[in-house]
Amino acid sequence: MSSKDARIAMFCRMLLCCALLLTAKLSVQAQDTLHITLQDAEKQFLEKNLQLLAEKYNVSIAQAEIIQAKLYNNPNLTLSGNLYNPDRKKFFDVSNQYGQYEVGIQQLISLAGKRNKQVQLARTNASMAENAFFDLLRTLRFTLRSNFYQAYYLQNSMKAYEEQISSLAKMDATYKDLQQKGLVTLKDAVRLRSLLYSLRADRTNMQNQLNDLQSEIQLLLQNNHAWFVLDMPDDAIAGIPEIRQTSLQSLVDSAYANRQDLQLAQNNLRYNQQNYNLQKAMAVPDLTLGANFDKRGSFVDNATFLNVGIDLPFFNRNQGNIKAARYSMDQTKLLVQQQTQAVENEVQTAYAKAINTDKMLETVDPAFRSQFEQLLQAITDNFLKKNISLLELTDFYDSYKENMLQLNQLQNARMQAIETLNFAVGKTMFNNK
């Protein structure tokens, strides 16, 4: 085989390998494409999200600390025996007749209710761990739902672009041939092609935005091997009740009852109050009770003793820790007030945005999208029949692109406003689908 034939054969093999790799890649992509609804996404999120599962362990850890706080102090046992008896020249002489040994036992008794106060602290700490877990759940769930709607409407916008790009690509190919034959001007051919390039550039930008959202959704669902095609029922928007039917005050009251970050701040105040009580109790010394038996090392053989011990609080009465605990308690009171005001402000802002988007959508005819799409097809057909000019076609395409994009953005804005309101309230009050 000549060197030329060898190069041709090698080139053919490379083409074959590339074709096989491309086919395999397309096959994998087709297999990894997954249609998913919001309900299915939330189910996978609750079952698989690693950040949420890891945070749940903090609740178990805090509950285990309650068990530890309930335990009593262990008694202390001491044994002391003779190492060497020089009179008998005997090691470890602890015999009853000649040996010497001592036995003692002690028990630390906490006074001033320290143990019960430590148990209360542990229980409050467990409640705070639960608050942190459910607040993380609220935050991640909001992120998932927000990304879902944003990606869904981006997909809708891209579909509208695909229809335009497909039609324009065919017309561009036709105009290119006609321009080469001198039947249409270069100006018209370039104008049509520039519109096509503009649409492709816009679609590429949307695809990049969608890729970022897909990455976040994959991370939330712990599945980076699937490309999610987001599905939503046609009546998803129509079935949402009007926000104005619910009063602002009822939403604020619901937020006070359901916002886990507010409950976390309140439990943090309770924790500091309990810690203040514990630090005051720590100023009371603990009592040590014990008993000793001395075989023959005391004033009589087989001597027994009762031991009682307690620290004398002359110098250390835990003054610094008591003062620090009081300052922490006063500080946390202010933080609770600040968090309460923040919750009310967030609900008010989200409520106003939700009402504004509702009012805007009320002015849009539900049949506008389908009518515009029908008109787009009619305009395209009339252009091919030369009933309208290229300028009229490009102007309509620009108008169609802007209006479809704005309509999807408006619908997305309403869903985002509703999810933000649910997030501010701390409960899914609207859009349970």
Side-chain angles (χ1 to χ4, degrees):
M1 181 183 294
S2 65
S3 60
K4 181 178 180 180
D5 293 337
R7 287 196 298 269
I8 294 175
M10 182 178 294
F11 180 73
C12 292
R13 285 196 295 268
M14 290 177 62
L15 285 179
L16 180 60
C17 290
C18 291
L20 291 175
L21 288 173
L22 181 59
T23 303
K25 182 178 180 181
L26 292 175
S27 176
V28 170
Q29 289 179 344
Q31 291 174 357
D32 288 345
T33 300
L34 178 64
H35 286 261
I36 190 170
T37 63
L38 181 58
Q39 290 75 18
D40 292 336
E42 287 187 314
K43 183 179 179 182
Q44 291 187 33
F45 160 71
L46 293 174
E47 293 175 351
K48 298 181 179 180
N49 185 268
L50 296 181
Q51 186 179 1
L52 196 63
L53 294 176
E55 183 68 25
K56 196 171 184 179
Y57 277 104
N58 287 333
V59 179
S60 300
I61 292 170
Q63 291 173 346
E65 291 174 350
I66 298 176
I67 298 174
Q68 183 63 35
K70 290 181 178 180
L71 301 179
Y72 289 96
N73 296 316
N74 291 324
N76 177 259
L77 177 66
T78 60
L79 298 174
S80 177
N82 180 32
L83 179 61
Y84 179 73
N85 188 337
D87 294 336
R88 302 184 63 202
K89 296 181 175 55
K90 182 179 180 181
F91 284 96
F92 303 110
D93 187 4
V94 292
S95 63
N96 288 329
Q97 187 175 0
Y98 301 105
Q100 159 63 12
Y101 59 88
E102 296 179 15
V103 180
I105 187 168
Q106 289 184 332
Q107 175 67 51
L108 180 66
I109 300 176
S110 297
L111 302 180
K114 295 187 186 72
R115 175 179 167 275
N116 290 335
K117 290 179 172 62
Q118 289 171 341
V119 172
Q120 291 174 358
L121 272 179
R123 285 174 175 164
T124 303
N125 187 59
S127 298
M128 292 169 62
E130 291 180 357
N131 296 145
F133 169 76
F134 285 111
D135 190 57
L136 177 64
L137 172 61
R138 177 180 74 102
T139 302
L140 293 180
R141 186 169 180 266
F142 167 73
T143 303
L144 173 64
R145 293 174 69 94
S146 176
N147 288 346
F148 184 95
Y149 288 119
Q150 190 171 351
Y152 173 79
Y153 287 109
L154 266 177
Q155 287 180 351
N156 282 358
S157 296
M158 290 175 64
K159 289 178 182 177
Y161 272 68
E162 287 170 0
E163 294 174 0
Q164 288 184 285
I165 291 173
S166 177
S167 298
L168 283 174
K170 295 177 182 178
M171 287 187 284
D172 177 62
T174 302
Y175 258 59
K176 186 176 181 180
D177 292 338
L178 294 176
Q179 189 266 326
Q180 291 176 350
K181 296 176 181 179
L183 299 178
V184 296
T185 64
L186 177 62
K187 176 183 177 182
D188 287 344
V190 171
R191 182 179 180 84
L192 186 65
R193 190 168 301 127
S194 65
L195 177 60
L196 175 62
Y197 290 164
S198 175
L199 290 176
R200 284 175 173 170
D202 290 343
R203 188 188 182 283
T204 299
N205 291 332
M206 285 190 289
Q207 182 66 62
N208 291 334
Q209 296 177 37
L210 182 60
N211 290 344
D212 292 338
L213 291 170
Q214 282 279 344
S215 177
E216 293 184 17
I217 292 174
Q218 288 171 346
L219 183 61
L220 287 167
L221 303 185
Q222 299 302 138
N223 185 356
N224 59 355
H225 299 295
W227 177 269
F228 294 106
V229 178
L230 309 176
D231 296 330
M232 194 167 68
D234 295 334
D235 61 344
I237 297 180
I240 300 175
E242 290 188 8
I243 308 298
R244 284 170 290 182
Q245 294 178 356
T246 306
S247 68
L248 174 60
Q249 188 57 49
S250 66
L251 294 176
V252 172
D253 294 339
S254 181
Y256 288 156
N258 293 288
R259 281 284 292 265
Q260 294 293 324
D261 54 345
L262 178 58
Q263 294 180 21
L264 177 60
Q266 293 168 345
N267 279 326
N268 191 28
L269 173 59
R270 184 178 297 107
Y271 183 91
N272 282 287
Q273 291 170 337
Q274 293 169 344
N275 183 55
Y276 176 67
N277 295 332
L278 175 61
Q279 295 305 321
K280 290 195 297 182
M282 294 293 289
V284 179
D286 293 332
L287 180 68
T288 302
L289 286 179
N292 287 84
F293 172 81
D294 192 333
K295 180 62 181 175
R296 53 174 48 87
S298 186
F299 65 100
V300 294
D301 291 346
N302 300 322
T304 56
F305 302 92
L306 174 66
N307 298 324
V308 179
I310 190 170
D311 291 338
L312 299 178
F314 291 155
F315 307 109
N316 184 357
R317 297 187 299 277
N318 208 36
Q319 302 96 316
N321 288 334
I322 292 173
K323 183 176 290 188
R326 184 173 66 249
Y327 288 148
S328 295
M329 183 174 61
D330 294 339
Q331 178 191 51
T332 312
K333 288 179 181 178
L334 298 177
L335 294 177
V336 169
Q337 294 177 9
Q338 190 273 338
Q339 185 64 30
T340 303
Q341 293 176 0
V343 167
E344 183 175 354
N345 181 264
E346 289 174 12
V347 174
Q348 290 175 348
T349 303
Y351 183 76
K353 288 182 178 179
I355 289 180
N356 289 337
T357 55
D358 272 356
K359 289 181 179 178
M360 182 59 194
L361 271 178
E362 287 176 356
T363 63
V364 178
D365 186 357
F368 174 76
R369 181 190 295 272
S370 60
Q371 292 172 351
F372 216 148
E373 290 175 351
Q374 292 174 3
L375 185 58
L376 174 67
Q377 185 60 47
I379 290 292
T380 303
D381 293 341
N382 277 281
F383 174 74
L384 295 175
K385 296 176 182 178
K386 299 183 179 181
N387 293 330
I388 61 174
S389 67
L390 177 61
L391 180 61
E392 291 174 313
L393 175 74
T394 55
D395 287 343
F396 183 82
Y397 266 58
D398 286 335
S399 176
Y400 175 83
K401 176 185 68 175
E402 292 175 3
N403 281 275
M404 287 296 102
L405 190 60
Q406 289 177 357
L407 182 59
N408 283 321
Q409 289 174 344
L410 183 59
Q411 290 174 332
N412 176 55
R414 184 183 185 228
M415 302 308 292
Q416 298 294 337
I418 290 173
E419 292 303 324
T420 301
L421 182 57
N422 287 332
F423 179 73
V425 173
K427 179 182 178 181
T428 306
M429 302 284 294
F430 309 94
N431 189 24
N432 292 316
K433 295 183 179 181

